[in-house]
């Protein structure tokens, strides 16, 4: 049975510009002894997922819902005190991003590692520190570290202290939030080996949050690729790496530099979307090279792209001479008014020509369903996009419309 | 960092002074601070002794003539008077010779005549003992100072002839001196007013026209003097205990004030009092402001709002005027003043600064980590946040001590401090009301002022040193 099972987790922050949909309908599960790597760009909601699981909520939470099951028990129903007693550090512990700052500079490491014990159990300080010493030893630190202050340790040692702190209560699951991001490569390898050893020695499970695909491949059994608050692709690490289904995953893997390879690393044009107002349909479609009819181009995106001087994704500049302005009627309907001298039919035919000519190379033009004339304006109907479901064979699933018809892979 | 060492040195010396002072002058002395009798043996307005090194003049020290230092000639006899009655008589002649080799006049002369004359009452005329006091000078003139009956009906009587004072038992001394001076013909009688006579100058001055001038223009007559006291009592067992004191013009290391008090005692005792008051006030105030500031920054919300508005209010309340009013109404002791000062300092600027520091610390990762393993808010506050704020607080305590020392000194200067304790402020205040600087009694003002400045500089240097340790941008390269 899964140690951690998350179903339809939603976690929005409230800001002045509206809700930030940091985690939007995320589901995954982790089995005992396994590692799930949660990979994605900065700001895609990885850390928010972790804090949502541990219920470390800031004051500006707008929505926090879904199911978090630990050993089959839904902990969302717990009140604050019960959650604190039963889940925090007993069920799930966390290694925070940036070990440099995860330790209080004013307390000795031994005491800090012992702190969770003292908070949760009524143990004597000496006893707790003794347990902390044992834990520090098990993460491969010498005895004297317990008496040291954090600033007296190297980055790698500090990270080990933080790991010892996460393990002191023998939790079921440890969330590793970029545990090696501030360390040099040798130390990274050391820490990863330590994490592997600990996983084998105890019945732990890891949720490994990283932006580094290489590290994820080293440690993870399963990989979940996250994009804009959603999971784009999830599956066994070998499958995801060997045959990525989602265009985003493919791009991500192609962006990893390779040694002695002629292939230059690629990048994904554009920027991750604003999570207060994520794109309709598939969230990746504005940056996706394969985007087509159902991916969900909305009329406002359409209008802004057409109005732009610089066209997207490799297309030449598209110039429409007869248009005065574009307006939107609803998310899927665009209204174009012709400029002074030209008539409606001229504009309509220009748009039709444009769509026909560039359809192959400019993804968003594929979203045009129908161009009609009416009321002295041109009405452009777009294909109505929906958010794609996670679908696929067995446990390897991706959220992409390309897979919808019989599960064909893009590359194939 | 050098300034820090100097600061610590100053503090160490102050602490050493606070330890040593009870040995030099035990607390009993301090309790006598406002008593008159206790300090009677000291000269008034005396400069520090070491000024003689600079002036080169041998300034007189206070000279005390004990009863045992007099030479006595005692004759006891019973005679028969013309009425055929038997009369018991005791003649006592006490003499004391002394050399006056100092380069200045004494500042005052006091004579104490203690006579024991049993069996006599004042109702019988002529039966009160008679006392005659005279001074023979190096120029062989003898000045009759006093010749009169011992006043009062008591059997056991001490009479103080404070010759420098124109009132009381010494009143007739002035007339006698005037008579003597005019007899000698140096000055016509009509120019001499009794009120202008300074016995301690006139008796030790050369017999010339400047004899009745003040000490700085009269001419000193050095040489051997003899003080002679003749006593006639009317029983066979009368006793006489004469005692004399010639006050000097210099005293001790720091001189004396108007009330003859040893300023060294006062200034040294001022150190532990100022340090205790300043440190206690600074520690309690800074600690309370720090904790409230941390609570404010950590809990936010209504707690924050309440504490901050309270702090705003306290920041605009002027403490000194309020303290003056309280001091005027209640004459509080120094402990009560301390309580008032602390009460008006529970929130303030430190509350605001600490709040802003805590707002920064609260976003740090180790705080989030502590929350994630279930540490309570109050635990996080005391174990993680306050230890981070404390170094800053140390510097603030050191920098705040002088502020409270000044506050106490200001109150004492205005005469509103604790009147029973010798604080630096109160000494300066008394010097001010005693017009010390008008008369040139610089030591009365200088030493307590130096005490305040020295302490303030010490704490300030230590505070800046702390500040440098905490704030690396201020560190000297």
């Amino acid at each position: 049975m899964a140690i951690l099972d998350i179903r339809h987790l939603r976690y929005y922050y409230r800001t002045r510009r509206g809700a930030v949909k940091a985690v939007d309908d995320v589901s995954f599960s982790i089995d005992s002894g396994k590692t799930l790597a949660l990979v994605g760009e900065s700001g895609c909601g990885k850390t928010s997922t972790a804090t949502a699981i541990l219920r470390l909520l800031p004051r500006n939470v707008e929505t926090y819902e879904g199911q978090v099951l630990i050993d089959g028990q839904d902990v969302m129903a717990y009140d604050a005190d019960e959650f604190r007693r039963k889940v925090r550090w007993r069920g799930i512990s966390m290694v925070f991003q940036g070990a440099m700052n995860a330790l209080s500079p004013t307390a000795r490491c031994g005491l800090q590692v012992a702190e969770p014990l003292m908070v949760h159990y009524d143990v004597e300080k000496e006893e707790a520190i003794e347990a902390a010493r044992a834990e520090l030893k098990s993460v491969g630190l010498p005895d004297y570290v317990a008496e040291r202050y954090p600033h007296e340790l190297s980055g790698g040692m500090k990270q080990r202290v933080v790991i010892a702190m996460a393990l002191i209560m023998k939790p079921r699951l440890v969330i590793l939030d970029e545990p090696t991001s501030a360390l040099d490569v040798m130390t990274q390898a050391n820490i990863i080996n330590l994490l592997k050893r600990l996983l084998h020695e105890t019945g732990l499970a890891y949720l490994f949050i990283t932006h580094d695909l290489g590290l994820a491949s080293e440690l993870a059994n399963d990989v979940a690729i996250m994009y804009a608050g959603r999971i784009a692709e999830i599956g066994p690490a070998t499958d995801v790496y060997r045959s990525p289904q989602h265009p985003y995953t493919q791009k991500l893997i192609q962006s990893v530099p390779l040694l002695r390879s002629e292939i230059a690393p690629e990048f994904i044009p554009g920027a991750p979307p604003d999570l207060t107002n994520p794109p309709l349909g598939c969230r990746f479609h504005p940056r996706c090279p394969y985007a087509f009819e159902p991916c969900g181009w909305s009329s406002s995106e359409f209008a802004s792209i057409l109005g732009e001087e610089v066209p997207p994704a490799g297309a030449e500049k598209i110039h429409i001479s007869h248009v005065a302005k574009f307006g939107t009627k609803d998310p899927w309907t665009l209204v174009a008014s012709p400029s002074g001298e030209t008539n409606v039919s001229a504009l309509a035919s220009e748009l039709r020509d444009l769509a026909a000519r560039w359809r192959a190379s400019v993804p968003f033009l594929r979203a045009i369903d129908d161009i009609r004339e009416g009321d002295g304006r041109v009405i452009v109907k777009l294909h109505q996009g929906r958010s794609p479901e996670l679908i696929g064979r067995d446990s390897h699933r991706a959220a992409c419309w390309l897979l919808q018809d019989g599960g064909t892979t893009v590359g194939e | 960092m050098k300034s820090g060492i100097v600061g610590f040195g100053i503090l160490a010396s102050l602490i050493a002074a606070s330890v040593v002072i009870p040995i030099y002058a035990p607390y009993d002395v301090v309790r006598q601070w406002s008593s008159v009798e206790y300090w009677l043996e000291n000269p008034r307005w005396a400069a520090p002794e070491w000024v003689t090194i600079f002036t080169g003049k041998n300034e007189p020290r206070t000279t005390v003539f004990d009863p045992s230092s007099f030479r006595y000639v005692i004759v006891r006899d019973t005679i028969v008077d013309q009425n055929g009655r038997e009369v018991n008589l005791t003649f006592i002649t006490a003499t004391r010779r002394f050399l006056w080799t100092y380069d200045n006049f004494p500042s005052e002369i006091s004579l104490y005549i203690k006579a024991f004359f049993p069996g006599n009452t004042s109702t019988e005329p002529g039966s009160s003992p008679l006392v005659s006091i005279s001074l023979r000078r190096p120029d062989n003139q003898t000045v009759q100072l006093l010749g009169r009956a011992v006043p009062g009906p008591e059997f056991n009587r001490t009479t103080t002839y404070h010759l420098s004072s124109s009132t009381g038992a010494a009143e007739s001394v002035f007339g006698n001196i005037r008579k003597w001076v005019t007899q000698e013909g140096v000055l016509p009688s009509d120019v001499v007013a009794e009120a202008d006579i300074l016995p301690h100058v006139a008796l030790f001055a050369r017999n010339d026209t400047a004899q009745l001038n003040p000490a700085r223009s009269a001419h000193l007559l050095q040489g051997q003097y003899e003080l002679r006291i003749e006593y006639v009592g009317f029983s066979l067992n009368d006793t006489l205990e004469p005692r004399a004191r010639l006050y000097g013009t210099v005293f001790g290391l720091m001189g004396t004030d108007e009330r003859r008090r040893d300023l060294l005692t006062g200034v040294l005792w001022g150190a532990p009092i100022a340090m205790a008051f300043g440190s206690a006030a600074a520690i309690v105030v800074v600690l309370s402001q720090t904790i409230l500031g941390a609570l404010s920054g950590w809990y936010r919300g209504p707690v924050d709002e309440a504490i901050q508005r309270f702090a705003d209010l306290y920041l605009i309340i002027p403490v000194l005027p309020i303290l003056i009013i309280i001091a005027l109404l209640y004459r509080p002791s120094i402990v009560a003043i301390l309580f008032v000062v602390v009460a008006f300092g529970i929130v303030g600027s430190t509350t605001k600064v600490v709040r802003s520091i805590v707002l920064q610390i609260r976003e740090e990762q180790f705080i989030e980590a502590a929350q994630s393993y279930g540490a309570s808010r109050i635990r996080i506050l005391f174990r993680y946040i306050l230890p981070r704020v404390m170094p800053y607080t140390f510097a603030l305590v050191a920098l705040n001590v002088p502020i409270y020392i000044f506050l106490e000194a200001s109150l004492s200067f205005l005469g509103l401090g604790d009147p029973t304790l010798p604080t630096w402020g109160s000494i300066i205040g008394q010097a001010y009301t005693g017009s010390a600087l008008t008369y040139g009694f610089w030591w009365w003002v200088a030493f307590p002022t130096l005490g305040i400045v020295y302490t303030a500089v010490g704490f300030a240097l230590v505070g800046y040193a702390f500040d440098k340790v905490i704030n690396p941008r201020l560190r000297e390269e």
Side-chain angles (χ1 to χ4, degrees), chain A residues 243-254:
Chain A
S243 56
Q245 302 288 298
H246 198 284
Y248 177 64
T249 316
Q250 295 170 1
K251 285 286 180 189
L252 207 58
I253 289 169
Q254 282 162 17

Side-chain angles (χ1 to χ4, degrees), chain B residues 1-15 454 457-469 476:
Chain B
M1 282 305 100
K2 272 178 202 147
S3 62
I5 293 164
V6 173
F8 273 111
I10 291 176
L11 289 201
S13 71
L14 282 170
I15 290 165
Y454 187 70
V457 166
F459 277 103
L461 288 178
V462 168
Y464 292 139
F466 267 129
D467 216 16
K468 275 177 195 159
V469 171
E476 293 158 18

Side-chain angles (χ1 to χ4, degrees), chain A residues 1-269:
Chain A
M1 190 166 81
I3 283 183
L4 178 72
D5 195 354
I6 289 170
R7 293 175 192 166
H8 308 294
L9 184 66
R10 274 176 220 278
Y11 178 31
Y12 300 170
Y13 302 105
R14 188 175 52 242
T15 65
R16 215 168 287 165
R17 296 191 301 122
V20 176
K21 294 165 181 152
V23 181
D24 201 3
D25 196 11
V26 164
S27 305
F28 59 80
S29 69
I30 305 171
D31 291 334
S32 173
K34 293 280 161 55
T35 301
L36 174 76
L38 197 57
V39 185
E41 286 167 281
S42 304
C44 74
K46 306 183 299 275
T47 303
S48 291
T49 308
T51 50
I53 293 167
L54 263 177
R55 213 194 273 182
L56 293 171
L57 308 179
R59 278 139 56 98
N60 58 337
V61 182
E62 173 144 313
T63 310
Y64 177 57
E65 59 188 32
Q67 282 176 296
V68 176
L69 283 76
I70 295 171
D71 290 322
Q73 182 75 35
D74 187 2
V75 299
M76 288 295 270
Y78 291 175
D79 65 20
D81 188 54
E82 200 174 14
F83 191 87
R84 190 180 77 85
R85 279 186 291 110
K86 292 188 178 168
V87 178
R88 293 206 176 141
W89 249 244
R90 285 199 185 183
I92 303 172
S93 68
M94 184 159 172
V95 172
F96 282 88
Q97 199 171 355
M100 308 301 160
N101 307 318
L103 293 169
S104 167
T106 53
R108 292 176 202 278
C109 291
L111 185 64
Q112 292 200 52
V113 173
E115 267 277 295
L117 278 181
M118 286 151 70
V119 167
H120 283 274
Y121 302 111
D122 191 20
V123 292
E124 289 297 312
K125 193 174 168 186
E126 287 70 31
E127 205 180 323
I129 290 178
E130 215 37 61
R133 266 181 226 281
E135 202 58 60
L136 286 169
K137 202 172 175 187
S138 80
V139 298
L141 284 171
D143 224 28
Y144 60 80
V145 170
E147 319 304 329
R148 294 289 162 90
Y149 286 95
H151 69 269
E152 297 173 300
L153 304 179
S154 70
M157 285 166 105
K158 268 192 245 183
Q159 190 57 273
R160 280 168 196 260
V161 172
V162 174
I163 291 168
M165 196 163 145
L167 295 174
I168 187 99
M169 300 268 296
K170 314 268 178 267
R172 308 277 287 126
L173 175 89
V174 180
I175 300 172
L176 306 162
D177 189 1
E178 309 212 1
T180 60
S181 53
L183 304 174
D184 62 80
V185 185
M186 280 305 290
T187 321
Q188 275 190 5
N190 269 327
I191 296 288
I192 294 296
N193 287 336
L194 167 72
L195 290 171
K196 274 188 192 166
R197 178 167 65 75
L198 292 168
L199 192 68
H200 293 140
E201 283 171 5
T202 54
L204 269 176
Y206 291 142
L207 173 59
F208 183 52
I209 295 171
T210 183
H211 58 260
D212 187 332
L213 280 166
L215 272 178
S217 72
E218 192 62 36
L219 194 61
N221 306 93
D222 295 303
V223 176
I225 308 289
M226 208 167 167
Y227 184 79
R230 290 223 167 131
I231 288 187
E233 183 162 0
I234 185 166
T238 44
D239 294 357
V240 173
Y241 281 107
R242 292 231 178 94
S243 56
Q245 302 288 298
H246 198 284
Y248 177 64
T249 316
Q250 295 170 1
K251 285 286 180 189
L252 207 58
I253 289 169
Q254 282 162 17
S255 72
V256 177
L258 296 169
L259 186 65
R260 273 176 287 182
S261 166
E262 292 304 309
I263 309 159
E266 285 188 27
F267 67 99
I268 308 172

